[in-house]
Amino acid sequence: MSAQPAHAALPLRYLRSRALPLTTATLICVALVAAWAAHWLQSQPHFDHTARVPVVVLAPLLASSAIGTSLHAHSDELDRTAVGRWWPRRLLHLLALTVLTAGVLAAAVPGHPEEFGVPAMVRNVLGATGVAAASVALLGARLSWLPMTVYGGAVYLAAPRTPGGAAAVWAWPMQPGPQVAAWAVAVTAYVAGAVFLTVRGPRPERG
């Protein structure tokens, strides 16, 4: 009889241990700043919807960093010996924050869906979050922001202005919304990262 209350308390304990309320507030703040920046950039003289490229690239990067950090585990030994299995909670955690992030950031770039609008934003959220999830399993939650930050910064500086071609694969965050190859890379990154994190769990961290 005493195990049932403990088992029922696991979801609440999980929410508290991962600081999900703080992560949710961070994601909403990122979305608000992204909405302001997208509106300001597009309102400048001689700019059009392509001015929102920095927002479409950087906002998912910041959001994925927050998501990756929230996936830490205080004790991997506790996770392994807990009454309930932790991997379904990790998967639900990742999926819930991904849906929230995609929704609020999509609202930040309304209009122009054929270019750097909602499709490009959602695609970049998926790809960046997938990379962050895989980084949690490989490097730990504290450093999960690093690979996507380095890669995103390099792509932002090196990607050609003309979309398509090979750049649609290696520079997928900089591609317009309709690029099929960019979507394929981003979705693959998300699925692979989610599976890797769910199966392996966060890398144990000390200190």
Side-chain angles (χ1 to χ4, degrees):
M1 297 296 291
S2 60
Q4 182 63 27
H7 180 73
L10 276 176
L12 182 59
R13 188 186 311 163
Y14 185 93
L15 292 175
R16 288 199 304 262
S17 67
R18 268 62 178 185
L20 285 182
L22 178 60
T23 302
T24 301
T26 301
L27 294 175
I28 293 174
C29 288
V30 170
L32 292 175
V33 173
W36 173 84
H39 176 75
W40 182 83
L41 287 170
Q42 197 170 352
S43 67
Q44 300 305 300
H46 311 297
F47 278 82
D48 57 12
H49 56 273
T50 59
R52 300 189 296 186
V53 171
V55 177
V56 172
V57 174
L58 296 178
L61 192 155
L62 293 173
S64 67
S65 298
I67 294 173
T69 303
S70 74
L71 286 163
H72 71 281
H74 286 295
S75 172
D76 54 305
E77 292 86 359
L78 178 62
D79 284 5
R80 289 196 298 266
T81 59
V83 175
R85 295 179 298 175
W86 286 90
W87 72 261
R89 294 178 177 85
R90 285 196 295 265
L91 180 59
L92 182 60
H93 175 160
L94 181 64
L95 293 176
L97 290 183
T98 301
V99 171
L100 171 65
T101 303
V104 295
L105 286 183
V109 285
H112 301 291
E114 74 284 0
E115 293 293 345
F116 294 98
V118 172
M121 181 67 87
V122 172
R123 179 201 65 213
N124 286 357
V125 167
L126 292 176
T129 304
V131 174
S135 300
V136 171
L138 288 172
L139 303 176
R142 293 179 182 176
L143 293 177
S144 61
W145 57 271
L146 185 58
M148 191 61 207
T149 299
V150 173
Y151 176 72
V155 165
Y156 186 81
L157 295 175
R161 294 189 176 184
T162 303
V169 176
W170 66 266
W172 55 267
M174 295 289 294
Q175 299 299 303
Q179 289 291 335
V180 176
W183 269 97
V185 174
V187 171
T188 300
Y190 184 77
V191 173
V195 170
F196 192 37
L197 175 67
T198 300
V199 172
R200 181 169 179 172
R203 179 180 177 178
E205 297 177 89
R206 300 292 180 261

